[in-house]
Amino acid sequence: MLYLNIKDLHKRKFKIAQIAKELKISRPTVYKYLEMTFEEAKAYTEQPIGKKKKLDSYKDWILAWLEEYPHLSAAQIHDWLLERYPDLAVGGSTVRSYVREVREVYQIEKKQLVRQYEAVPEQPMGKQLQVDWGETKQKTTDRKEIKLYFIAFVLAHSRQKYMEWQSRPFTTRDAIRCHENAFQFYGGCTEEIVYDQDHLITVSENAGQLLLTAEFQSYVNERKFTVHLCRRADPESKGMIENVVKYIKGNFADSRVFSDIEDWNQRAVQWLKRTGNYQVHQTTKKRPAEVFLVEKQHLKPVSSLLSFESTNNQSISRSVSKDNTIRYKSNRYSVPLGTYQTNADNHVLIEVIGKKPSTLIIRKEAESEIIAEHCISLEKGKLIQNRNHTRDRSKGIEEFKQRLISFFENQTQAATYFDEISKRYPRYRRDQFAIIHQVIQQYPTVIENVLAKCMREKLFSANDFRDIAQHIHRLPHDQVKEIKPSNAYPAKHCYIKTSTRSLNAYTSILGGRS
């Protein structure tokens, strides 16, 4: 078909560049097919593409997939090949190049799967509030760059907007405080509030079943509004607030110089009054502030502000990992062992004090006792660990060794024995001692004899200690009693006399000459 299309366009006086653009192929390909006869073109397409290539053996699969699913990307083709042929070693760029050539030769245009949208009906007054978070980078008055974070609200009916900024990432408590401020700004609360699946408010969402964070769930229970979470990677389902976030970034924050957070928030309120809520909305063709005067009457009244921390408080929430560390600015900082607890609230509050060098303070609760304190590292990817936060492994092993020695009557000899094991197996001392501990528990009556024999035979190994204990345990009881630690241990057949022969007897047996 490609050959016929090229010939047809060429007969119609299309230029080479026009043919290439029309058929979405390269100009060298056009020249190549114009020089071929129909039989040559047919034979060429039935052969592997161009010169021998690594993926020629898989051409039939690739072609079949593209014909059935024209929208497939080269990355998906690559994954399917690896799924069918796990030992295939081929790079992503090779697959992309090959798929592009297959599409070109067989005229398989990549079709984009276009999602069909329908207009969202206007929400009734007081029905819905949409919330989202954003961040920007701003130039400061001293010509440095700082990252700022904001939360934005918009009423779905009137499009009345509200926002708050801070110079650190939001915590759940920050989000709750901003909700309270927004309700005071609006003069009430809506029936439902729409969110992304953000980690500040939700743990998981499974087919409509929501699991909110404990702190936010308590807040929802108190304020009694319905939470609506959008599907993941589906910003279009809350397009109003998405547009508000873009509007704030592109109109208010763009090229604005930052001095301090109080001044920034004050200017944000002024912008809302002057522009954000005053300018005519492009969809409703009305001023949000004017429509809001009517919608305000349909909002649910809320009580006075709840008691939450100030925006300027520098306490930031962090989760404690199971290795008893927290993350701060691309580094890990240790907390005391045992801070992390399974099935418990593993959040701590961190606070930065001082400047260059700054100190990181870690507490379980605000104003509670400091559990860890570190100098903040200017590097990245480092583990900053306090020695007091690590397990004293040597102390634990030493206590274990002393406990084992106490089981023996001759503790001096036992101490010498365990010291020698420690020297020979420094990395496996605990494993060696654990084996001996099992032997002591299993064969307590013979350990003195075992220790004596191991010392005498220089068998400094827990496995030897165990084997000898098992052997002595199998001996008749009267033989074990006769064994004294200071005497040599008699072998089972030590009294058997063996006969001796001359060397000639052995050479004759082996076929030699006498």
Side-chain angles (χ1 to χ4, degrees):
M1 289 299 299
L2 177 62
Y3 173 81
L4 295 176
N5 289 335
I6 291 174
K7 287 290 187 180
D8 179 61
L9 293 175
H10 189 254
K11 288 180 180 178
R12 292 162 56 187
K13 306 301 182 182
F14 275 64
K15 296 180 180 179
I16 300 299
Q18 292 174 321
I19 296 175
K21 184 177 181 180
E22 177 70 20
L23 300 179
K24 295 182 175 59
I25 58 177
S26 63
R27 283 178 289 182
T29 301
V30 177
Y31 283 115
K32 178 173 61 179
Y33 277 97
L34 287 176
E35 295 173 355
M36 292 181 182
T37 63
F38 178 79
E39 289 73 17
E40 290 173 338
K42 182 179 178 181
Y44 174 76
T45 54
E46 291 174 354
Q47 295 298 318
I49 302 172
K51 62 181 181 180
K52 184 68 175 178
K53 295 187 177 180
K54 195 170 187 176
L55 292 175
D56 285 343
S57 304
Y58 312 97
K59 175 186 172 184
D60 291 341
W61 279 110
I62 296 173
L63 182 58
W65 290 334
L66 289 175
E67 288 178 339
E68 187 170 359
Y69 311 106
H71 67 278
L72 284 180
S73 66
Q76 289 174 286
I77 295 289
H78 191 185
D79 178 69
W80 287 14
L81 286 172
L82 292 176
E83 183 179 16
R84 186 171 291 274
Y85 305 101
D87 297 330
L88 176 63
V90 63
S93 59
T94 302
V95 177
R96 286 194 297 272
S97 177
Y98 196 85
V99 169
R100 185 167 54 249
E101 291 187 34
V102 171
R103 286 187 182 278
E104 186 176 281
V105 171
Y106 292 93
Q107 285 291 278
I108 303 174
E109 185 177 353
K110 185 174 183 179
K111 296 181 179 178
Q112 299 292 336
L113 293 179
V114 180
R115 175 178 171 180
Q116 297 297 324
Y117 298 97
E118 60 180 349
V120 178
E122 285 294 322
Q123 294 292 328
M125 291 187 179
K127 173 69 175 178
Q128 185 183 93
L129 179 70
Q130 296 189 6
V131 183
D132 202 1
W133 288 262
E135 58 183 58
T136 63
K137 289 184 178 180
Q138 305 296 144
K139 293 293 183 181
T140 62
T141 51
D142 54 359
R143 298 187 178 181
K144 294 182 180 179
E145 191 174 68
I146 187 174
K147 183 177 283 190
L148 297 179
Y149 307 84
F150 68 92
I151 184 172
F153 301 78
V154 62
L155 288 172
H157 180 82
S158 64
R159 273 62 167 190
Q160 182 80 345
K161 307 166 194 65
Y162 177 75
M163 62 173 161
E164 273 194 47
W165 294 76
Q166 57 187 51
S167 57
R168 55 181 171 81
F170 277 82
T171 64
T172 302
R173 181 156 295 197
D174 291 327
I176 293 173
R177 188 196 65 252
C178 292
H179 276 67
E180 288 297 299
N181 293 341
F183 295 158
Q184 293 299 313
F185 174 81
Y186 289 125
C189 175
T190 56
E191 295 179 18
E192 70 174 16
I193 303 181
V194 179
Y195 303 93
D196 261 338
Q197 294 191 32
D198 193 277
H199 71 282
L200 297 178
I201 65 170
T202 180
V203 176
S204 66
E205 186 270 341
N206 183 16
Q209 294 184 345
L210 310 182
L211 180 59
L212 304 179
T213 60
E215 195 169 9
F216 196 75
Q217 182 64 67
S218 299
Y219 178 67
V220 171
N221 294 340
E222 181 174 351
R223 283 308 188 204
K224 295 179 174 56
F225 58 81
T226 303
V227 173
H228 176 80
L229 289 184
C230 299
R231 296 177 182 272
R232 292 190 182 278
D234 187 21
E236 291 82 2
S237 58
K238 56 178 184 58
M240 293 180 193
I241 190 62
E242 292 289 338
N243 289 332
V244 169
V245 169
K246 293 178 183 177
Y247 189 29
I248 292 172
K249 289 181 178 180
N251 191 296
F252 170 73
D254 185 31
S255 303
R256 194 179 294 272
V257 178
F258 175 84
S259 57
D260 60 74
I261 195 65
E262 290 82 4
D263 173 72
W264 189 266
N265 272 308
Q266 185 177 358
R267 288 195 282 172
V269 172
Q270 294 170 354
W271 178 86
L272 286 172
K273 185 177 181 181
R274 179 182 64 249
T275 301
N277 293 325
Y278 181 78
Q279 297 297 329
V280 175
H281 194 275
Q282 293 301 312
T283 301
T284 64
K285 304 302 181 184
K286 299 176 182 179
R287 300 184 194 277
E290 295 176 356
V291 182
F292 171 69
L293 292 176
V294 181
E295 184 177 16
K296 184 177 181 178
Q297 303 172 24
H298 295 78
L299 298 176
K300 296 189 302 180
V302 294
S303 58
S304 60
L305 277 171
L306 300 180
S307 175
F308 289 105
E309 295 174 355
S310 169
T311 305
N312 298 321
N313 192 323
Q314 293 302 307
S315 293
I316 307 171
S317 177
R318 283 291 186 273
S319 295
V320 180
S321 302
K322 63 181 179 181
D323 61 354
N324 288 284
T325 62
I326 60 106
R327 291 188 177 273
Y328 179 71
K329 289 192 174 180
S330 302
N331 289 316
R332 292 184 298 152
Y333 294 85
S334 67
V335 293
L337 287 177
T339 303
Y340 176 85
Q341 297 289 331
T342 306
N343 299 324
D345 182 12
N346 289 301
H347 284 84
V348 294
L349 295 179
I350 64 175
E351 185 177 352
V352 179
I353 297 177
K355 295 182 179 180
K356 297 182 180 179
S358 301
T359 303
L360 183 68
I361 304 297
I362 305 175
R363 292 184 172 92
K364 242 324 191 180
E365 300 289 344
E367 305 302 328
S368 65
E369 182 183 354
I370 297 175
I371 63 173
E373 188 173 338
H374 297 279
C375 288
I376 295 179
S377 173
L378 299 179
E379 300 181 82
K380 291 187 178 181
K382 297 293 183 181
L383 170 62
I384 295 85
Q385 193 171 39
N386 188 325
R387 289 186 177 181
N388 296 332
H389 298 165
T390 60
R391 183 184 294 111
D392 190 350
R393 293 174 173 80
S394 61
K395 181 178 179 181
I397 294 176
E398 187 64 28
E399 290 178 353
F400 192 15
K401 184 178 76 172
Q402 294 301 326
R403 188 152 56 92
L404 292 179
I405 291 174
S406 67
F407 287 107
F408 294 86
E409 294 180 7
N410 191 343
Q411 294 190 4
T412 303
Q413 191 178 49
T416 303
Y417 183 71
F418 287 117
D419 287 342
E420 188 63 30
I421 287 180
S422 298
K423 291 179 183 178
R424 298 193 180 198
Y425 305 98
R427 294 182 58 192
Y428 302 96
R429 290 176 296 166
R430 188 179 295 276
D431 297 330
Q432 290 279 316
F433 294 165
I435 294 174
I436 295 177
H437 185 244
Q438 291 177 354
V439 173
I440 292 173
Q441 291 179 322
Q442 194 169 1
Y443 311 111
T445 60
V446 301
I447 59 174
E448 296 296 333
N449 296 315
V450 176
L451 176 63
K453 182 169 178 61
C454 287
M455 289 292 292
R456 189 167 50 251
E457 303 293 338
K458 299 187 182 329
L459 302 174
F460 300 105
S461 166
N463 292 326
D464 291 335
F465 192 94
R466 179 189 56 202
D467 294 342
I468 293 173
Q470 291 173 348
H471 173 68
I472 295 177
H473 181 71
R474 287 195 295 264
L475 289 175
H477 187 67
D478 55 343
Q479 291 189 32
V480 175
K481 282 186 176 181
E482 294 175 358
I483 300 172
K484 295 182 179 179
S486 58
N487 297 331
Y489 181 75
K492 188 175 180 179
H493 304 290
C494 62
Y495 301 108
I496 297 177
K497 298 292 184 180
T498 58
S499 60
T500 58
R501 299 181 183 180
S502 64
L503 183 61
N504 292 335
Y506 292 105
T507 55
S508 62
I509 292 173
L510 297 173
R513 295 180 180 178
S514 58

mmCIF file of all heavy atoms in Angstrom, residues 6 9 25 59 111 121 148 177 237 247 258 260 263 268 275 280 290 308 374-375 377 396 415 448 458:
data_model
loop_
_atom_site.group_PDB
_atom_site.id
_atom_site.type_symbol
_atom_site.label_atom_id
_atom_site.label_comp_id
_atom_site.label_asym_id
_atom_site.label_seq_id
_atom_site.Cartn_x
_atom_site.Cartn_y
_atom_site.Cartn_z
ATOM 1 N N ILE A 6 2.675 6.051 -2.863
ATOM 2 C CA ILE A 6 3.772 6.907 -3.334
ATOM 3 C C ILE A 6 3.678 7.089 -4.854
ATOM 4 O O ILE A 6 3.806 8.208 -5.381
ATOM 5 C CB ILE A 6 5.134 6.297 -2.945
ATOM 6 C CG1 ILE A 6 5.324 6.371 -1.413
ATOM 7 C CG2 ILE A 6 6.284 7.015 -3.652
ATOM 8 C CD1 ILE A 6 6.560 5.665 -0.919
ATOM 9 N N LEU A 9 0.687 9.435 -5.771
ATOM 10 C CA LEU A 9 0.952 10.851 -5.517
ATOM 11 C C LEU A 9 1.988 11.408 -6.477
ATOM 12 O O LEU A 9 1.904 12.575 -6.890
ATOM 13 C CB LEU A 9 1.417 11.044 -4.070
ATOM 14 C CG LEU A 9 0.372 10.748 -2.975
ATOM 15 C CD1 LEU A 9 0.998 10.872 -1.591
ATOM 16 C CD2 LEU A 9 -0.810 11.714 -3.099
ATOM 17 N N ILE A 25 6.343 9.962 6.048
ATOM 18 C CA ILE A 25 7.548 9.155 5.893
ATOM 19 C C ILE A 25 8.700 10.089 5.534
ATOM 20 O O ILE A 25 8.503 11.279 5.290
ATOM 21 C CB ILE A 25 7.377 8.066 4.811
ATOM 22 C CG1 ILE A 25 7.018 8.716 3.471
ATOM 23 C CG2 ILE A 25 6.319 7.050 5.213
ATOM 24 C CD1 ILE A 25 6.903 7.731 2.329
ATOM 25 N N LYS A 59 9.717 -9.248 14.303
ATOM 26 C CA LYS A 59 8.963 -8.321 13.465
ATOM 27 C C LYS A 59 7.492 -8.700 13.372
ATOM 28 O O LYS A 59 6.608 -7.826 13.438
ATOM 29 C CB LYS A 59 9.573 -8.283 12.071
ATOM 30 C CG LYS A 59 8.787 -7.431 11.082
ATOM 31 C CD LYS A 59 9.359 -7.538 9.693
ATOM 32 C CE LYS A 59 8.462 -6.850 8.670
ATOM 33 N NZ LYS A 59 8.954 -7.028 7.297
ATOM 34 N N LYS A 111 -2.401 6.257 16.712
ATOM 35 C CA LYS A 111 -3.653 6.919 17.056
ATOM 36 C C LYS A 111 -3.659 7.265 18.538
ATOM 37 O O LYS A 111 -3.338 6.429 19.381
ATOM 38 C CB LYS A 111 -4.849 6.022 16.724
ATOM 39 C CG LYS A 111 -4.983 5.738 15.234
ATOM 40 C CD LYS A 111 -6.192 4.875 14.958
ATOM 41 C CE LYS A 111 -6.341 4.603 13.460
ATOM 42 N NZ LYS A 111 -7.494 3.729 13.178
ATOM 43 N N PRO A 121 -22.333 19.887 35.106
ATOM 44 C CA PRO A 121 -23.447 20.800 35.411
ATOM 45 C C PRO A 121 -23.080 21.747 36.547
ATOM 46 O O PRO A 121 -22.273 21.422 37.410
ATOM 47 C CB PRO A 121 -24.590 19.851 35.805
ATOM 48 C CG PRO A 121 -23.907 18.578 36.218
ATOM 49 C CD PRO A 121 -22.680 18.477 35.374
ATOM 50 N N LEU A 148 7.907 28.554 47.786
ATOM 51 C CA LEU A 148 6.734 28.864 48.592
ATOM 52 C C LEU A 148 5.628 27.857 48.295
ATOM 53 O O LEU A 148 5.516 27.337 47.173
ATOM 54 C CB LEU A 148 6.233 30.278 48.299
ATOM 55 C CG LEU A 148 7.181 31.433 48.642
ATOM 56 C CD1 LEU A 148 6.534 32.756 48.277
ATOM 57 C CD2 LEU A 148 7.567 31.409 50.108
ATOM 58 N N ARG A 177 -5.925 24.162 59.719
ATOM 59 C CA ARG A 177 -5.957 25.577 60.097
ATOM 60 C C ARG A 177 -6.414 26.450 58.929
ATOM 61 O O ARG A 177 -7.228 27.361 59.100
ATOM 62 C CB ARG A 177 -4.565 26.019 60.563
ATOM 63 C CG ARG A 177 -4.538 27.429 61.163
ATOM 64 C CD ARG A 177 -3.151 27.997 61.248
ATOM 65 N NE ARG A 177 -2.576 28.189 59.927
ATOM 66 C CZ ARG A 177 -1.605 27.440 59.427
ATOM 67 N NH1 ARG A 177 -1.095 26.446 60.112
ATOM 68 N NH2 ARG A 177 -1.140 27.671 58.212
ATOM 69 N N SER A 237 -11.398 16.099 36.763
ATOM 70 C CA SER A 237 -12.608 15.952 37.553
ATOM 71 C C SER A 237 -12.778 17.093 38.551
ATOM 72 O O SER A 237 -13.839 17.221 39.150
ATOM 73 C CB SER A 237 -12.602 14.597 38.288
ATOM 74 O OG SER A 237 -11.460 14.494 39.107
ATOM 75 N N TYR A 247 -4.095 29.968 37.771
ATOM 76 C CA TYR A 247 -4.362 31.412 37.791
ATOM 77 C C TYR A 247 -3.502 32.097 38.855
ATOM 78 O O TYR A 247 -2.900 33.146 38.621
ATOM 79 C CB TYR A 247 -5.856 31.620 38.066
ATOM 80 C CG TYR A 247 -6.347 33.044 37.911
ATOM 81 C CD1 TYR A 247 -5.749 33.938 37.029
ATOM 82 C CD2 TYR A 247 -7.446 33.489 38.650
ATOM 83 C CE1 TYR A 247 -6.228 35.232 36.883
ATOM 84 C CE2 TYR A 247 -7.932 34.782 38.512
ATOM 85 C CZ TYR A 247 -7.311 35.649 37.627
ATOM 86 O OH TYR A 247 -7.785 36.933 37.482
ATOM 87 N N PHE A 258 9.497 38.316 46.700
ATOM 88 C CA PHE A 258 9.133 37.915 48.054
ATOM 89 C C PHE A 258 10.019 38.621 49.074
ATOM 90 O O PHE A 258 11.243 38.678 48.921
ATOM 91 C CB PHE A 258 9.287 36.396 48.192
ATOM 92 C CG PHE A 258 9.055 35.872 49.575
ATOM 93 C CD1 PHE A 258 7.772 35.594 50.015
ATOM 94 C CD2 PHE A 258 10.126 35.651 50.440
ATOM 95 C CE1 PHE A 258 7.553 35.106 51.301
ATOM 96 C CE2 PHE A 258 9.916 35.158 51.720
ATOM 97 C CZ PHE A 258 8.631 34.889 52.150
ATOM 98 N N ASP A 260 8.747 38.750 52.963
ATOM 99 C CA ASP A 260 8.478 37.873 54.103
ATOM 100 C C ASP A 260 7.071 37.321 53.956
ATOM 101 O O ASP A 260 6.257 37.831 53.195
ATOM 102 C CB ASP A 260 8.653 38.601 55.437
ATOM 103 C CG ASP A 260 7.707 39.785 55.563
ATOM 104 O OD1 ASP A 260 6.496 39.558 55.773
ATOM 105 O OD2 ASP A 260 8.179 40.943 55.433
ATOM 106 N N ASP A 263 3.905 39.633 54.683
ATOM 107 C CA ASP A 263 3.647 40.577 53.595
ATOM 108 C C ASP A 263 3.078 39.862 52.385
ATOM 109 O O ASP A 263 2.176 40.367 51.708
ATOM 110 C CB ASP A 263 4.949 41.299 53.231
ATOM 111 C CG ASP A 263 4.798 42.163 51.987
ATOM 112 O OD1 ASP A 263 4.130 43.209 52.070
ATOM 113 O OD2 ASP A 263 5.349 41.770 50.925
ATOM 114 N N ALA A 268 -1.591 38.685 48.924
ATOM 115 C CA ALA A 268 -2.466 37.682 48.317
ATOM 116 C C ALA A 268 -3.937 38.038 48.556
ATOM 117 O O ALA A 268 -4.776 37.926 47.652
ATOM 118 C CB ALA A 268 -2.143 36.303 48.887
ATOM 119 N N THR A 275 -8.438 41.396 41.998
ATOM 120 C CA THR A 275 -8.409 40.676 40.719
ATOM 121 C C THR A 275 -9.091 39.316 40.788
ATOM 122 O O THR A 275 -10.025 39.022 40.033
ATOM 123 C CB THR A 275 -6.953 40.493 40.245
ATOM 124 O OG1 THR A 275 -6.331 41.768 40.107
ATOM 125 C CG2 THR A 275 -6.891 39.750 38.924
ATOM 126 N N VAL A 280 -14.346 39.527 35.865
ATOM 127 C CA VAL A 280 -15.433 38.700 35.334
ATOM 128 C C VAL A 280 -14.912 37.322 34.971
ATOM 129 O O VAL A 280 -13.902 37.183 34.275
ATOM 130 C CB VAL A 280 -16.072 39.369 34.095
ATOM 131 C CG1 VAL A 280 -17.127 38.448 33.470
ATOM 132 C CG2 VAL A 280 -16.688 40.713 34.482
ATOM 133 N N GLU A 290 -19.693 39.187 43.321
ATOM 134 C CA GLU A 290 -21.106 39.550 43.284
ATOM 135 C C GLU A 290 -21.998 38.328 43.449
ATOM 136 O O GLU A 290 -22.996 38.365 44.174
ATOM 137 C CB GLU A 290 -21.424 40.276 41.985
ATOM 138 C CG GLU A 290 -20.715 41.626 41.847
ATOM 139 C CD GLU A 290 -20.960 42.282 40.504
ATOM 140 O OE1 GLU A 290 -21.623 41.645 39.642
ATOM 141 O OE2 GLU A 290 -20.499 43.430 40.301
ATOM 142 N N PHE A 308 -5.356 25.916 66.647
ATOM 143 C CA PHE A 308 -4.263 25.238 65.955
ATOM 144 C C PHE A 308 -3.020 26.105 65.975
ATOM 145 O O PHE A 308 -3.079 27.297 66.286
ATOM 146 C CB PHE A 308 -4.643 24.920 64.510
ATOM 147 C CG PHE A 308 -5.670 23.835 64.398
ATOM 148 C CD1 PHE A 308 -6.979 24.134 64.094
ATOM 149 C CD2 PHE A 308 -5.319 22.522 64.631
ATOM 150 C CE1 PHE A 308 -7.930 23.136 64.024
ATOM 151 C CE2 PHE A 308 -6.261 21.521 64.546
ATOM 152 C CZ PHE A 308 -7.567 21.825 64.249
ATOM 153 N N HIS A 374 20.510 17.238 66.079
ATOM 154 C CA HIS A 374 21.572 17.035 65.079
ATOM 155 C C HIS A 374 21.983 18.368 64.467
ATOM 156 O O HIS A 374 21.154 19.280 64.341
ATOM 157 C CB HIS A 374 21.092 16.119 63.940
ATOM 158 C CG HIS A 374 20.732 14.733 64.370
ATOM 159 N ND1 HIS A 374 21.673 13.753 64.579
ATOM 160 C CD2 HIS A 374 19.524 14.172 64.620
ATOM 161 C CE1 HIS A 374 21.052 12.641 64.938
ATOM 162 N NE2 HIS A 374 19.750 12.862 64.962
ATOM 163 N N CYS A 375 23.236 18.451 64.070
ATOM 164 C CA CYS A 375 23.679 19.550 63.215
ATOM 165 C C CYS A 375 23.235 19.242 61.789
ATOM 166 O O CYS A 375 23.471 18.144 61.289
ATOM 167 C CB CYS A 375 25.192 19.706 63.274
ATOM 168 S SG CYS A 375 25.780 20.385 64.825
ATOM 169 N N SER A 377 23.241 18.819 57.995
ATOM 170 C CA SER A 377 24.287 18.635 56.986
ATOM 171 C C SER A 377 23.931 19.402 55.719
ATOM 172 O O SER A 377 22.770 19.443 55.302
ATOM 173 C CB SER A 377 24.450 17.149 56.672
ATOM 174 O OG SER A 377 25.348 16.965 55.595
ATOM 175 N N GLY A 396 25.957 -6.132 74.183
ATOM 176 C CA GLY A 396 25.006 -7.227 74.192
ATOM 177 C C GLY A 396 25.684 -8.577 74.075
ATOM 178 O O GLY A 396 25.339 -9.522 74.788
ATOM 179 N N ALA A 415 35.998 -19.007 80.204
ATOM 180 C CA ALA A 415 36.285 -17.671 79.687
ATOM 181 C C ALA A 415 37.364 -17.707 78.625
ATOM 182 O O ALA A 415 37.277 -17.029 77.586
ATOM 183 C CB ALA A 415 36.697 -16.753 80.837
ATOM 184 N N GLU A 448 30.796 -29.847 81.185
ATOM 185 C CA GLU A 448 32.141 -29.755 81.748
ATOM 186 C C GLU A 448 33.095 -30.666 81.000
ATOM 187 O O GLU A 448 34.230 -30.296 80.681
ATOM 188 C CB GLU A 448 32.118 -30.123 83.234
ATOM 189 C CG GLU A 448 31.313 -29.187 84.106
ATOM 190 C CD GLU A 448 31.893 -27.780 84.136
ATOM 191 O OE1 GLU A 448 33.120 -27.632 83.938
ATOM 192 O OE2 GLU A 448 31.119 -26.828 84.347
ATOM 193 N N LYS A 458 42.021 -28.409 71.317
ATOM 194 C CA LYS A 458 42.041 -27.117 70.601
ATOM 195 C C LYS A 458 40.934 -27.043 69.545
ATOM 196 O O LYS A 458 41.150 -26.655 68.402
ATOM 197 C CB LYS A 458 43.411 -26.856 69.960
ATOM 198 C CG LYS A 458 44.553 -26.794 70.953
ATOM 199 C CD LYS A 458 45.819 -26.370 70.301
ATOM 200 C CE LYS A 458 47.022 -26.329 71.202
ATOM 201 N NZ LYS A 458 46.812 -26.015 72.599
#
